[in-house]
Amino acid sequence: MQQDLKSEITKQTILNESFKLFYENGFKTTSVDKIMKATKLTKGAFYHHYKNKKELGLAVISLKLEKRVCEGMILPLYTSGNPLEILEATFLERLKSFPIYDKQHGCPMNNFINEIGDLEIAYQIALRNIIEDWKAALILLIERGKSENTINKNISSNAVAVYLISAFEGIRGIRKLYDNDDILEEYIAGLSLYLKQLKA
Amino acid sequence: MQQDLKSEITKQTILNESFKLFYENGFKTTSVDKIMKATKLTKGAFYHHYKNKKELGLAVISLKLEKRVCEGMILPLYTSGNPLEILEATFLERLKSFPIYDKQHGCPMNNFINEIGDLEIAYQIALRNIIEDWKAALILLIERGKSENTINKNISSNAVAVYLISAFEGIRGIRKLYDNDDILEEYIAGLSLYLKQLKA
DNA sequence: TAAAAAACATACCAACTAGTATTTTTTCAT
DNA sequence: ATGAAAAAATACTAGTTGGTATGTTTTTTA
């Protein structure tokens, strides 16, 4: 196989298996050995492509987590239509689309935030970037709602964006503790109510 | 020293040092060795008082985390006065009272939830109990507000309680990523707005 | 006060950890 | 085709992990 293609495939394989194992078992407690066993490659391959585990962690954050949040929570915001309806649809459809697996293991990004958000500045910055992107997209949509007179102009777009993100990430963690969706339904009711109250 | 007193002090010492180290470095990555080095006792003492690390984890959850949430977030709810004001005061004062240390490391319970909420049923149940206690207390207060005509009777108390808890735990994690309180201020603005909208 | 029991210390284990050093295999450029 | 370079495999290190086995010290009970 062509060398640069082969290299890229190996790096992607490591990235994919890492993401999966980090998601299921956490970052710190997933060893390089376990990851390479999953890829069916060896340690030699790993340390040829990544300087160390920290570099892998940063790659997973900026390449896998970022993409996931972007596709699931940010891009859907850039739709035409009523901003409040877009907000509700985005958050709701995201939750409803999760298989049990994703409900049991929570939000990959939130897991990282809580596990290593206070470990190293590099992780902090990488994770913060995702939150900031998400927040910016929400603010943009809320501002559009204000300008189109569908959202109350007296509310703070920043405050609403942060409150929306907080509640979503919070419930993704709390849902881990349950074996059914009741708590999610209550969250959804809370969200709907919240959004209704933002109407112009 | 008296035997049962000595035993109790040792257990408490282990519990206290464990809580601190779990909070700072996580549950899975804090070893029994590190804990016992912190207590200035030895492994022999540990395994005399605790069957294994899992039993210690459960003890920390039910004895340390439960107490913390109860004192900081539940008991303040049982005050006389306007329920909405009590809600705002409780959440706000809790956040304002945190030293930098607590802001950097997030919520001890939320850290546990996200790290081991999907690891074992025993952890799940122990953590869920705390959330359920908190939720029940919030619902009780909201219901009082409804009966006293200070809170809108058309909203779901359960939904509001869950949304309040979710947002609070969410922001406790997200705050880890920043080196100032701006994001907390935005959360607080979001919370105030939210509570205002619940008025009767 | 002596023996039993509880509290704690010491020494050890096999499995696992991140990372390195060295060798073999595959691809590339000439 | 051949030598260089990239990709990957193998073998290793020193330190850490949860837990056990076996001591020693302290307290209690009779």
Side-chain angles (χ1 to χ4, degrees), chain B residues 121-137:
Chain B
I121 316 167
Y123 296 130
Q124 223 173 75
I125 294 172
L127 290 163
R128 184 165 67 212
N129 282 339
I130 307 180
I131 294 287
E132 287 295 318
D133 286 354
W134 189 5
K135 184 178 156 193

Side-chain angles (χ1 to χ4, degrees), chain A residues 1-3 31-32 34 43 47 53:
Chain A
M1 199 195 299
Q2 205 182 322
Q3 205 166 61
S31 66
V32 175
K34 283 180 200 158
K43 229 166 186 179
Y47 283 99
K53 199 186 165 187

Side-chain angles (χ1 to χ4, degrees), chain B residues 164-184:
Chain B
L164 283 170
I165 292 173
S166 296
F168 187 81
E169 294 305 322
I171 200 65
R172 293 283 279 128
I174 291 167
R175 170 59 175 84
K176 289 188 192 184
L177 306 178
Y178 296 84
D179 40 24
N180 63 62
D181 284 350
D182 292 357
I183 197 88
L184 278 191

